[in-house]
């Protein structure tokens, strides 16, 4: 009994440490380097890897693999959250955060309820999200770019990031125990890394920086689709550890090909203006 408790405590502590490290790292990239890069990295399989990985460990690899099929379509809900936040969170300060959060969560919930009515395959899940990506990229095409400014280190800000990240991850993985694979997969697509980043940037740098991150988020979703697709296939046959490693390899390979291509296309558009 003691060994079980120690094992469970260690698992929850590991979940806490990973969640905190990922969100803090992404926030530092946005504040110190580039909001554009933070938007692209928000689409890297960080939060999704944490949630699907711990669902696989806590419930079963088979359950997580089946859930990942619905996660493929669930990224459309994440894009709806971004649209809702962008439309409603135009004000500065806490008012903008509250309005953006309400608009974003309403968009996420509405899209998730609609998606939950359908049975998805790997192919149909990918197609739905690809359509949503194209719609969002067209919608955001005129959103202006904003360079991030360096912000001073703050312990309260650091603790706020840690608490929010951990709370979201613990909430999602706890809900997975109560939900069927379809809803567990949709919830696993919730933007664990992007949403805290939006709040942090909104409070420290304003809605323009938030809009820049949201603008570039759809372009980074290709790696998330690759990761979730690999997980849906590999978790049941290879297990969580090997499946996660393979997923990251494929997702990283996608970014290695797509990111330089996107830069060249952006350079061509700029040169033609």
């Amino acid at each position: 009994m003691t060994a079980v408790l120690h094992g469970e405590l260690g698992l929850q502590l590991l979940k806490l440490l990973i969640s905190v490290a990922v969100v803090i790292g992404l926030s530092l990239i946005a504040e110190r380097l580039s909001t554009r890069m933070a938007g692209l990295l928000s689409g890297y399989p960080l939060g999704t890897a944490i949630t699907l990985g711990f669902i696989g460990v806590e419930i079963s690899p088979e359950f997580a693999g089946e859930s990942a099929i619905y996660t493929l379509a669930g990224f459309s809900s994440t894009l709806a959250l971004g649209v809702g936040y962008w439309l409603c969170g135009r004000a500065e300060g806490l008012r903008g955060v509250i309005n953006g959060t309400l608009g974003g969560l309403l968009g996420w919930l509405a899209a998730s309820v609609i998606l939950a009515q359908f049975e998805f395959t790997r192919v149909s899940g990918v197609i739905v999200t690809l359509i949503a990506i194209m719609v969002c990229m067209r919608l955001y095409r005129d959103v202006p770019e904003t360079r991030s400014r360096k912000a001073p280190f703050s312990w309260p800000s650091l603790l706020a990031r840690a608490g929010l990240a951990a709370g979201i991850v613990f909430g999602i993985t706890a809900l997975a125990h109560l939900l069927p694979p379809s809803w567990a997969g949709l919830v696993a697509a919730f933007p664990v890394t992007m949403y805290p980043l939006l709040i942090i940037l909104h409070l420290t740098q304003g809605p323009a920086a938030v809009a820049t991150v949201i603008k570039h988020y759809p372009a980074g979703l290709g790696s998330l689709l690759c990761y979730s697709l690999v997980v849906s296939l590999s978790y049941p046959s290879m297990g969580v550890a090997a499946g996660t490693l393979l997923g990251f390899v494929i997702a990283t390979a996608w970014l290695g090909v797509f990111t330089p291509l996107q830069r060249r296309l952006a350079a061509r558009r700029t040169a033609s203006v």
Side-chain angles (χ1 to χ4, degrees):
M1 182 67 175
T2 303
V4 172
L5 290 176
H6 278 272
E8 181 65 23
L9 180 61
L11 181 64
Q12 300 307 316
L13 180 60
L14 180 63
K15 187 190 301 183
L16 174 65
L17 292 175
I18 293 175
S19 305
V20 168
V22 165
V23 174
I24 290 176
L26 191 62
S27 301
L28 291 176
I29 289 173
E31 292 177 359
R32 306 293 177 179
L33 297 178
S34 163
T35 48
R36 179 181 182 277
M37 182 58 67
L40 289 172
L41 288 179
S42 293
Y44 194 66
L46 300 173
T48 300
I50 295 171
T51 52
L52 286 176
F54 280 105
I55 288 172
V57 170
E58 294 178 6
I59 301 178
S60 74
E62 291 75 19
F63 184 93
E66 185 178 353
S67 298
I69 297 174
Y70 288 85
T71 301
L72 291 167
F75 294 130
S76 300
S77 299
T78 299
L79 291 169
L81 184 148
V83 171
Y85 197 109
W86 173 61
L87 291 174
C88 299
R90 304 292 177 91
E92 298 280 348
L94 186 59
R95 178 186 174 188
V97 170
I98 293 173
N99 290 342
T101 295
L102 291 176
L105 292 180
L106 181 61
W108 179 86
L109 182 60
S112 295
V113 169
I114 292 172
L115 292 173
Q117 308 307 309
F118 301 92
E119 292 187 8
F120 286 100
T121 64
R122 295 177 179 89
V123 173
S124 60
V126 169
I127 290 174
V128 165
T129 293
L130 287 177
I131 293 172
I133 288 173
M134 289 186 289
V135 170
C136 287
M137 292 182 74
R138 184 173 180 82
L139 180 66
Y140 299 146
R141 65 187 176 191
D142 295 326
V143 174
E145 299 281 339
T146 300
R147 291 183 177 274
S148 59
R149 61 180 185 271
K150 291 186 178 181
F153 178 82
S154 168
W155 275 110
S157 176
L158 184 67
L159 293 175
R161 298 170 193 176
L164 185 57
I168 293 173
V169 171
F170 275 80
I172 290 175
T173 51
L175 278 174
H177 290 266
L178 307 174
L179 298 172
S182 57
W183 264 106
L186 293 173
V187 172
F190 188 88
V192 172
T193 55
M194 186 182 74
Y195 175 63
L197 175 65
L198 297 182
I199 293 178
I200 294 161
L201 282 180
H202 204 139
L203 293 175
T204 59
Q205 302 194 32
V210 169
T212 301
V213 171
I214 291 174
K215 176 180 181 178
H216 291 287
Y217 181 73
L221 272 178
S223 63
L224 264 170
L225 287 171
C226 290
Y227 180 86
S228 300
L229 184 60
V230 171
V231 163
S232 72
L233 293 166
S234 63
Y235 268 24
S237 59
M238 300 173 62
V240 173
T244 298
L245 179 60
L246 180 60
F248 272 116
V249 168
I250 300 300
T252 303
W254 167 267
L255 278 182
V257 172
F258 179 79
T259 303
L261 176 62
Q262 189 195 38
R263 287 176 180 171
R264 286 196 293 270
L265 291 175
R268 288 180 182 176
R269 285 196 298 267
T270 302
S272 64
V273 174

